[in-house]
Amino acid sequence: DKTARGGFKRTKLDSYMAAELKENPQGPIGVVTVAGTIVDGKAPRGTAAGDSIAEAIEKGLRGGKIKALVVRIDSPGGSATASERIRQALLQAKAQRIPVVASMGNVAASGGYWVAS
């Protein structure tokens, strides 16, 4: 770690990769999309329903083959309960030492930001 101009700490990519990546980084990367208003319950694909998204994440984790998880967020927010349900599923991935990366689209406000946290 070094301090860059402006006072922000930085880590060189090579140093990060050497410290964080396992010997065999091969494997599938899960991608889950949280797009639109986040709502409670279940809904078909194309709707950001908390239970549906969380269950998809949990199903992917049960297989034990996912090496990383990308969460693509493009949401103005919505239900705090549904956002927390999704966040708890993501915490399960982190508990399994699976890297979780949040990718924000045009907007990640309120519940979208909550999920990213």
Side-chain angles (χ1 to χ4, degrees):
D1 290 346
K2 294 183 180 181
T3 301
R5 286 171 40 192
F8 295 102
K9 287 191 173 188
R10 63 185 169 101
T11 301
K12 290 187 176 188
L13 180 59
D14 293 339
S15 299
Y16 174 79
M17 290 175 58
E20 298 295 327
L21 294 181
K22 296 178 182 172
E23 292 286 320
N24 183 6
Q26 301 281 324
I29 295 174
V31 178
V32 64
T33 302
V34 180
T37 302
I38 300 171
V39 298
D40 291 323
K42 295 181 180 183
R45 288 183 180 184
T47 301
D51 287 338
S52 297
I53 293 170
E55 288 171 7
I57 294 166
E58 293 161 352
K59 181 180 178 183
L61 295 176
R62 279 193 296 274
K65 295 182 181 178
I66 292 178
K67 300 294 182 183
L69 182 60
V70 176
V71 184
R72 179 66 177 163
I73 302 165
D74 194 354
S75 172
S79 166
T81 303
S83 299
E84 178 63 11
R85 173 78 171 95
I86 296 167
R87 192 181 77 84
Q88 288 297 320
L90 295 171
L91 288 176
Q92 290 178 36
K94 291 185 75 151
Q96 294 179 24
R97 301 184 58 89
I98 296 171
V100 177
V101 176
S103 169
M104 298 178 192
N106 291 326
V107 65
S110 186
Y113 185 79
W114 186 312
V115 169
S117 72

